[in-house]
Amino acid sequence: MTQQEEITRRRTFAVIAHPDAGKTTLTEKLLLFGGAIHVAGAVKSNKIKKGATSDFMEIERQRGISVATAVMGFEYRGCKINILDTPGHEDFAEDTYRTLTAVDSVIIVIDGAKGVEAQTRKLMEVCRMRQTPVIVFINKLDRPSKEPFDLLDEVEKELHIRVRPLAFPISNGPTFKGVYNLYEKNLSLFTSDEKLTADASTAEISDLASQELEGYIGEKFAAQLRSDVELVEGVYDQFDRDAYLRGELAPVFFGSAVNNFGVRELLECFVRIAPSPRPAPTETRQVEPAEPKMTGFVFKIHANMDPNHRDRIAFLKICSGTFERNRNYLHVRSGKQLKFSSPTAFMAEKKSVIDFAYPGDIVGLHDTGNFKIGDTFTEGEKLRFTGIPSFAPEQFRYIENADPLKFKQLAKGIDQLMDEGVAQLFTSSLNGRKIIGTVGALQFEVIQYRLEHEYNAACRWEPISIYKACWIDSDNAAQLADFKRRKHTNMAVDKHGRDVFLADTSYGLALAQENFKDIRFHFTSEF
Ligand code: G4P
């Protein structure tokens, strides 16, 4: 196969959802179709069930799962599909945001009874920022759900994206009859005794006016479906793939993941419309997947579970060319040539050493602590991929050394955990104290636990009241200097030495923005 053929057949995506909407279940069904797993239950939910057991145990369990399922590859209809896993707990949302930098499209799962939830909204913001194409799967139709048109309106309004249903449900809950596939013009019938096992039976109905329809779903639902479909065709424009690829239009499917219902339709459509690897932006130019030379970036680093081996796995997304085992590549940040004797690929639960990888693929690289998120590998060109930002953290604590004899261990531990992207480190300009900022409160436990177990260091947290940290810059040097002087007690620097404003309250932030018009306040580290 030529490199172009390898590129064209790749689909790298993530399933994202608010916890409990059915992400794990849908992922598992997709893998079952791809033959990558053979039994239900093989994909473990990586949710951290708060309070169920000690959080530390849950964190370790979750880390174990997330190594095993970080990337799940499978073949379907000639396509090589890579599903990138995202953490189930919202405290790890930043991990999810970063994973979204490595995908070419996403499937958003929404619980039909709950509609659009908080986490879905946040994740969609990241997709919108990157113009990632999204497909929406409305799940749990076997349960009493909201009305389909209300759900479609809600998705449009809450997620700020136009929608186009490509399937339409016939009732829901106990009277759920099935789904009418609008672009293949067939009917998938839902019978609850097929639960958990087989595919639904499908009936070709090219003409909805045909009396056959009554035979399948009865008079009442037949009439309802006809009027619903008429409304869909009247209200929504024809599906426009280009608008989908630009991230402006989301095709919507309905189904029930746990019953394996509507999943095949979703997958069939996905392989047809979802994009193959897209060009990737760098500071200097756009990298096209078809370029002959290999380029790629690290979007995730995973520490070893075994505290005796402090090595890590760095996940490299290939952006162009062909990655080869045992070949020298430039690690752009350090300027060193490195080669990898055992790069790994991931196929569901299995991990194997590979000789080649193509754009869209994710390769696991052995790392002894030298890589950082965002690191670029090339065949010599000094590129730096952009679009892998850190997000303004929302929870803050001072970190203090709790064991004076272990100062070095603590410093090294903090440094490496920050490189992994577990949290962000700021140094206060007021007193030089170190502040850790995270997206969720659980990270503080993770850091303390891992410092102790992996670095043999002890830390103590002290409270600090900060509403938000944002990066600042300005073309008006005098105003910037004035701002930094006046806000001295609220200033800090991040680990790259950039200015960060630590706002005490939302009011304080709004006031600062109002009073210092020439200063730009950034909520991601990339600007
Ligand atoms: P998540 O990864 O998005 O957090 O969700 P997950 O797949 O773990 O699903 C959350 C719960 O919703 C699970 O039940 C799952 O079985 C259920 N579920 C998923 N899809 C459907 C569906 O189409 N219909 C219905 N009725 N339920 C669905 P649980 O009780 O939390 O876990 P489990 O004991 O079933 O594993």
Side-chain angles (χ1 to χ4, degrees), residues 17-26 45 47 139-143 255-259:
H18 189 88
D20 258 356
K23 173 178 75 77
T24 311
T25 313
L26 179 66
S45 170
K47 266 180 292 201
N139 191 27
K140 305 197 186 182
L141 266 283
D142 59 314
R143 293 229 185 117
S256 168
V258 79
N259 292 302

Side-chain angles (χ1 to χ4, degrees), residues 304-311 453-454:
N304 199 319
M305 301 275 294
D306 178 353
N308 298 321
H309 296 96
R310 215 185 284 143
D311 50 351
H453 288 80
E454 291 167 37

Side-chain angles (χ1 to χ4, degrees), residues 322-337:
T322 304
F323 177 94
E324 291 176 41
R325 186 159 79 95
N326 277 329
R327 182 157 174 199
N328 271 317
Y329 291 113
L330 174 68
H331 177 232
V332 174
R333 186 168 51 81
S334 69
K336 285 187 189 142
Q337 292 283 336

Side-chain angles (χ1 to χ4, degrees), residues 293-313:
K293 291 194 172 163
M294 198 296 295
T295 65
F297 66 87
V298 173
F299 68 95
K300 179 182 180 123
I301 293 177
H302 215 294
N304 199 319
M305 301 275 294
D306 178 353
N308 298 321
H309 296 96
R310 215 185 284 143
D311 50 351
R312 314 188 284 188
I313 304 172

Side-chain angles (χ1 to χ4, degrees), residues 96-111:
T96 304
Y97 301 158
R98 271 195 300 263
T99 297
L100 293 181
T101 66
V103 302
D104 297 302
S105 70
V106 303
I107 294 179
I108 297 183
V109 186
I110 290 174
D111 182 330

Side-chain angles (χ1 to χ4, degrees), residues 374-388:
D375 277 1
T376 302
F377 285 89
T378 68
E379 291 188 23
E381 192 176 347
K382 292 200 172 66
L383 287 176
R384 217 180 77 86
F385 285 96
T386 55
I388 315 149

